[in-house]
Amino acid sequence: MDNHKGKSISFEPFVWKIEKFSKQNTKNLRSKSFRIGGYKWRILLHPLRKNVEHFSLYLMVADSLPAYGWSRKAHFKLVLVNQIDDNKSIVKETHQKFKGGFRSWGSFFLNLSDFHDTKQGYLVNNTCIIEAHINVQASSQIESSKQEQGVIETSDESSTTESFDSNETGTPDLTLRDLLDLESLGNEEASYVPLLEEACVWHPSLIRSQSKRTQRFKSWAFSSLGQVLHILKTSKVKDMNEEVSDNLRGLWEELVMASGFNLDWLEPYVESALSMRKHLERTLKVNELKGRINDLENKMRKLRGELAEAKVESEEAKKVLNELSNGYIEIDLNADLSYNVF
């Protein structure tokens, strides 16, 4: 999810305070349904299992709706509140379209180790606070098929521990962990997993496109995609030198040609990152010239200072010379004295 700055957007808030967090069934943890913009919603906490190392949140549609024939656009923010320092609250903001098959959208927030560390401020006195801020666009509406099919909206306000059907979230039936043997990954490849999981949440076709591939091919495809995402997420402009750019270009060309992924969504970011090399080279050259000019200007200032001092010394020397020259008869220093002593 992106960190957009919503201008002139009126959000309606919902606060979910989870007390006695350690005693909750965190494998099936979602808020009670709440109504904003005339529609029902829930906040879903990504199931926390032994093999899950990160804390993720999703906003999901809670209305009873048909499998297709409806859509809903919403601009929303999910917030994991920092109870010690509000400036450290984690905010993820996005504008998404909900529809059949995609009933929830969400994102990675932080590592579980940081979440459980009470000094970090996200879990304090065994309590965490999550907020949803939603703006439903006026164009969002249920299609006429809803009325034609006689769909009835339920008034269920069930607790956070009720059963949960993973298909309801709109995420694909398979997850990255179902597709790959994560235990066999090296440390570098394993570090890409959170990025890949978030990418798969937003682009389920990544998983669907690999479901029938061999394990070896899937490992290569997702590892290469993970490297690309890692470069885009962690690199700074100054890092985009020839080596990094060539590596990114090679990975990207292989992914586009052989992976089977639909990467149209990623292409603008890769092209922008690759263009940074020229900007970097020009910036380094400009900075080099600026440094050289600065050194020359410093040298000229020093020389001008020395010239000014030399002028002062010259004037003083001339003054002394004039005083000494008054009545002075110049003699040849190499001439013999020629005194007739005897």
Side-chain angles (χ1 to χ4, degrees), residues 67-119:
Y68 60 91
W70 64 273
S71 66
R72 180 182 308 172
K73 293 180 181 179
H75 193 139
F76 65 92
K77 296 185 288 187
L78 293 176
V79 183
L80 177 59
V81 176
N82 189 296
Q83 300 171 60
I84 296 176
D85 184 354
D86 187 59
N87 291 325
K88 294 182 179 179
S89 294
I90 302 175
V91 182
K92 296 296 181 75
E93 181 175 348
T94 188
H95 182 190
Q96 296 295 342
K97 183 177 182 179
F98 297 82
K99 58 183 180 179
F102 296 92
R103 291 176 175 249
S104 76
W105 294 98
S107 180
F108 163 82
F109 272 66
L110 79 168
N111 294 326
L112 270 182
S113 57
D114 292 330
F115 173 77
H116 286 293
D117 183 358
T118 56
K119 294 180 181 179

Side-chain angles (χ1 to χ4, degrees), residues 331-335:
I331 62 174
D332 183 3
L333 297 179
N334 292 318

